[in-house]
Amino acid sequence: MSLKDEMKPQRNILHDYGMYIAFVVIVVFFSIATKGLFISSRNIGNLVNAMSYIAVMAVGMTLVIVIRHIDLSVGFLAGTLGAVAAISLKYWQLPVGLTIPIVLALGIIAGLVTAFLVARMNIPAFVATLAGWLFYHGLLQLVTRKTGTIIINDPIFNAFGNGFIPDIKGIMFLPDVHKVTLLLGLLGILLFIRSEIINRRDTKAYNFGVIPMNMFIAKLVFFSIIIAGITWVLAGYKGLSWSAVVVLLVVFLYYYITTKTVIGRHIFAVGGNPEAAQLNGISVKKITYLVFGSMGFLTAISGILYASWLRSATTIAGTGMELDAIAAAFVGGVAVSGGVGKVTGSILGALVMASLTNGMNLLGWDISIQYIVRALVLAGAVIFDVATRKRRT
Amino acid sequence: MDTVTDTKPVAEMVNIRKSFAAVQALKGVDLVLHHGEVLGLVGDNAAGKSSLMKVLSGAYIPDDGEIRIEGNKVHMSDPLDARHLGIEMVYQDLALADNLDITSNVFLGRELVKTHLGPISALDSRHMEREAKRLLDRLKIDIPSVRLLVERLSGGQRQAVAIARATAFNSKVIIMDEPTAALSVASIKLVLDVIRELKVQGASIILISHRIEDIYSVSDRLIVMRQGRKVHDVPVTGTLDEFREEVVAYMIGARDDFSNLEKN
């Protein structure tokens, strides 16, 4: 065999795990500065609920940016879809089981309309979705004009943004800790370790290079501790919230699609080189419809989580949400030039930005300072990403 | 392979015509490619060589003329049709996705699948990696790992990957459009080595190039085009200097073997 199987890591460790380390630093800093308030179970539970709708949107935005587009319309679209959900529950008297599918379908349709403008009418996504931003801003005001803020009383709907998964009753062991959450956390760690070990074994079996054993163990321990820590903290309050469950489901689904399926491969191919993708029989149009359709779908979920969290639909719901989602994606390492980005990275980005806001609020920092700090973190993250990404020599 | 198809040319183009508005890009061109042959195709800019190859690879539909693959008349309406017929084009601008690894690029648009779940198909990554590696080995392309991102390869390595991809799926005809343009000397050698290796393994190749020395060093036969017509069609013989002198004479229009066959 003429091939040498040894291979150097393509991106240095600093690049891959830099943001994880930054996240840990942020958590430790705020935990100390707030004398433990930040890391308290109750606060982390709130933080997770408050970041969930941005995280879900950031996942969709990641794919949009990967295929070299942008979507500015999703903030007010989420607000509008939340209002539709509220109206459906309150005025149309439809059950939750019907309201949610309707809202999801409307979200997908809205995404496909954007895709139509971009893929078919060849309008730059920035312009098309700026028009969408104006349109949904207007639409949101129109649908909430008569009612103003719509209070949602449906307990099932409100549970998505505020409720927690049930626990097993009547176990004496660890009385104030949420047992189901602990079990899920343990399961998560085991699944993580299992998949990493299988992956490493397979990689070696096919004669590809792997990271050294001590590094591998360090990686397993690091991530296991993070999962365990988060689990323990969450279990200390009311356990895993439904919104966290939604985020986890979205992350697993999109992680799988982007890394393990033909569709995911094609999305990244279109992002890397649309002409090449087209020449190889991949329809750039189809991928554009798919990605914007998925953005609309996730926007609907985001709108539902937000309305549910606030237990109401307001006339300004969704304002600026799209920018938070875009910021989360870029902090998470998505490249502006397209073709590069990870679902897990964007979730981490959302978590970093939400932690900053939450921590600074706890410390009572002035809102103007908060904006400036977030600006610096965003710029710093992208500078770090560009500087540590290895380029072709 | 049975002997009947062997004696027939692998690809044949007869009296191909193609116009764009008032411009006649191809004015009735014939081309024959035999099994296991490397055919050089040269001509000045706008001589029609790229247009001719776009017709053969399905990117252009000719106004008139016939295309036969292994003796069978075919119609192609897009590059995918051509690919299904075993005609692979290696594009000059390298149709590779820089952000993906070598394996992903080799199998781009033709991914191997483990399981289908409705519209979602799970990639068989291991299988593809193994195949990609075998492919590079077969062509003696020395790249450390098929997991390398294409953006980290040299120009010659990228071209080698593009060529390897074209050969990956039992192609009958491989068309290379300026595979050595804008490459370093070392990279040119790498690409020419890959072409020679393919030739040893019996591939049928059409090579478009401005670099006459490259054509000379790997081709069996040469076609010169000028102003939408074929003006010269001969086996590659003699020394490089003689060869170059002769080719240039045809390229600039000082000589023309076919002018009396067609007057317009």
Side-chain angles (χ1 to χ4, degrees):
Chain A
M1 281 237 258
S2 71
L3 271 181
K4 290 186 283 297
D5 296 319
E6 295 306 314
M7 116 187 204
K8 296 176 204 110
Q10 301 196 50
R11 296 206 172 123
N12 53 37
I13 310 265
L14 202 60
H15 177 269
D16 272 4
Y17 300 114
M19 198 40 66
Y20 290 93
I21 295 163
F23 177 58
V24 171
V25 169
I26 289 169
V27 169
V28 170
F29 170 78
F30 282 121
S31 300
I32 294 170
T34 61
K35 298 186 179 67
L37 190 59
F38 178 82
I39 201 74
S40 71
S41 297
R42 194 188 175 95
N43 187 55
I44 294 297
N46 286 338
L47 192 154
V48 168
N49 286 358
M51 62 84 70
S52 61
Y53 57 93
I54 298 295
V56 169
M57 199 177 263
V59 169
M61 193 65 77
T62 303
L63 297 191
V64 171
I65 298 172
V66 161
I67 64 161
R68 305 180 172 194
H69 292 306
I70 194 82
D71 197 335
L72 300 173
S73 69
V74 290
F76 283 121
L77 176 60
T80 306
L81 292 171
V84 170
I87 291 167
S88 163
L89 291 166
K90 186 147 185 174
Y91 299 106
W92 303 342
Q93 302 277 320
L94 295 177
V96 180
L98 206 55
T99 296
I100 287 177
I102 288 173
V103 170
L104 293 178
L106 288 176
I108 292 171
I109 291 168
L112 294 178
V113 169
T114 308
F116 173 79
L117 294 175
V118 173
R120 189 65 182 272
M121 308 308 286
N122 289 317
I123 305 175
F126 190 94
V127 180
T129 62
L130 186 59
W133 184 93
L134 290 166
F135 182 82
Y136 295 121
H137 195 174
L139 197 61
L140 173 61
Q141 301 204 335
L142 207 62
V143 295
T144 55
R145 181 192 283 166
K146 269 185 283 182
T147 56
T149 297
I150 307 165
I151 304 292
I152 302 170
N153 296 316
D154 191 295
I156 302 172
F157 186 84
N158 288 342
F160 281 104
N162 301 285
F164 297 86
I165 59 169
D167 200 2
I168 316 159
K169 299 271 187 288
I171 297 177
M172 292 302 121
F173 173 68
L174 292 172
D176 290 327
V177 180
H178 198 276
K179 265 75 72 185
V180 173
T181 303
L182 280 188
L183 281 175
L184 287 175
L186 189 65
L187 191 68
I189 291 173
L190 291 177
L191 284 176
F192 167 73
I193 292 176
R194 180 174 172 271
S195 86
E196 287 290 316
I197 289 175
I198 289 176
N199 193 33
R200 184 182 168 88
R201 200 185 54 201
D202 284 4
T203 305
K204 272 169 100 169
Y206 284 91
N207 289 324
F208 292 109
V210 291
I211 56 173
M213 196 61 185
N214 52 355
M215 288 290 301
F216 178 68
I217 290 171
K219 181 185 171 190
L220 289 187
V221 169
F222 180 78
F223 282 99
S224 299
I225 287 175
I226 286 194
I227 301 173
I230 293 172
T231 307
W232 180 255
V233 169
L234 287 176
Y237 184 42
K238 291 177 183 168
L240 203 61
S241 62
W242 284 115
S243 56
V245 172
V246 172
V247 172
L248 286 175
L249 287 177
V250 167
V251 171
F252 280 128
L253 178 67
Y254 276 77
Y255 174 79
Y256 181 76
I257 289 175
T258 51
T259 59
K260 310 281 184 210
T261 70
V262 174
I263 288 288
R265 176 76 45 94
H266 288 182
I267 289 171
F268 280 84
V270 167
N273 187 345
E275 293 83 15
Q278 194 76 50
L279 281 170
N280 285 290
I282 299 167
S283 166
V284 175
K285 276 203 173 91
K286 217 188 264 175
I287 294 293
T288 308
Y289 275 99
L290 188 81
V291 168
F292 277 104
S294 112
M295 180 80 253
F297 170 72
L298 294 175
T299 302
I301 294 179
S302 178
I304 290 168
L305 286 175
Y306 188 70
S308 162
W309 183 52
L310 294 180
R311 297 188 177 85
S312 61
T314 71
T315 55
I316 55 158
T319 309
M321 226 185 251
E322 72 282 353
L323 299 180
D324 283 335
I326 292 169
F330 283 134
V331 169
V334 175
V336 188
S337 51
V340 178
K342 283 179 178 173
V343 168
T344 45
S346 298
I347 290 292
L348 186 66
L351 209 50
V352 164
M353 294 309 262
S355 302
L356 280 177
T357 307
N358 179 286
M360 291 188 291
N361 276 332
L362 290 180
L363 290 174
W365 288 12
D366 190 74
I367 191 82
S368 49
I369 300 296
Q370 293 196 15
Y371 275 116
I372 292 169
V373 170
R374 284 162 64 199
L376 294 177
V377 169
L378 172 60
V382 177
I383 291 168
F384 174 82
D385 185 62
V386 171
T388 55
R389 181 172 290 155
K390 282 187 186 168
R391 297 256 147 230
R392 179 155 46 113
T393 45
Chain B
M1 204 178 280
D2 76 274
T3 45
V4 182
T5 53
D6 255 353
T7 53
K8 281 182 191 159
V10 61
E12 211 174 345
M13 303 177 82
V14 184
N15 196 26
I16 300 291
R17 288 171 190 277
K18 178 72 183 174
S19 299
F20 299 99
V23 182
Q24 277 185 281
L26 298 173
K27 302 170 182 168
V29 182
D30 299 336
L31 178 147
V32 172
L33 177 68
H34 298 286
H35 280 279
E37 182 183 44
V38 178
L39 171 64
L41 185 57
V42 298
D44 215 338
N45 292 333
K49 53 194 194 304
S50 284
S51 297
L52 187 68
M53 289 305 102
K54 282 183 172 162
V55 168
L56 185 57
S57 67
Y60 289 166
I61 299 167
D63 302 331
D64 193 18
E66 211 176 290
I67 300 170
R68 291 186 210 121
I69 301 299
E70 292 184 326
N72 302 315
K73 194 177 166 185
V74 296
H75 289 281
M76 298 178 280
S77 51
D78 66 46
L80 283 185
D81 287 350
R83 178 179 271 183
H84 290 314
L85 290 164
I87 302 166
E88 289 278 348
M89 180 106 175
V90 181
Y91 288 90
Q92 188 178 357
D93 42 19
L94 289 171
L96 299 177
D98 278 356
N99 58 329
L100 300 180
D101 64 11
I102 292 172
T103 306
S104 306
N105 270 288
V106 167
F107 286 92
L108 197 59
R110 295 182 277 205
E111 290 81 1
L112 301 180
V113 166
K114 248 187 318 203
T115 42
H116 289 280
L117 194 75
I120 294 178
S121 313
L123 293 166
D124 193 349
S125 300
R126 305 290 171 203
H127 192 180
M128 286 192 280
E129 283 187 343
R130 216 172 35 203
E131 287 298 313
K133 204 160 142 178
R134 186 176 298 164
L135 184 68
L136 296 191
D137 282 345
R138 203 181 70 202
L139 297 179
K140 302 193 167 68
I141 299 169
D142 189 19
I143 295 176
S145 165
V146 291
R147 287 189 179 181
L148 275 176
L149 298 184
V150 166
E151 69 180 7
R152 300 201 49 219
L153 301 180
S154 73
Q157 289 173 324
R158 290 159 59 84
Q159 192 61 259
V161 169
I163 293 170
R165 173 169 72 188
T167 64
F169 300 90
N170 297 320
S171 46
K172 296 191 179 97
V173 179
I174 300 161
I175 306 166
M176 300 182 193
D177 190 359
E178 299 281 1
T180 52
L183 291 185
S184 68
V185 176
S187 286
I188 288 172
K189 182 181 177 301
L190 194 158
V191 171
L192 293 180
D193 285 345
V194 172
I195 296 174
R196 283 195 200 95
E197 188 59 40
L198 277 173
K199 190 176 151 184
V200 168
Q201 292 170 19
S204 312
I205 300 168
I206 300 176
L207 174 64
I208 304 178
S209 185
H210 273 96
R211 292 173 46 89
I212 292 167
E213 60 269 40
D214 292 351
I215 301 261
Y216 177 81
S217 77
V218 297
S219 304
D220 302 305
R221 194 158 55 89
L222 169 85
I223 286 179
V224 183
M225 288 187 69
R226 182 177 149 76
Q227 293 175 351
R229 295 190 309 109
K230 181 166 83 171
V231 294
H232 196 42
D233 188 343
V234 289
V236 173
T237 50
T239 66
L240 175 59
D241 286 335
E242 289 165 8
F243 180 72
R244 188 197 306 271
E245 206 170 302
E246 185 184 332
V247 169
V248 171
Y250 283 97
M251 277 172 73
I252 63 173
R255 295 173 71 181
D256 189 337
D257 294 349
F258 299 95
S259 61
N260 46 357
L261 298 179
E262 188 191 355
K263 290 224 163 60
N264 57 354

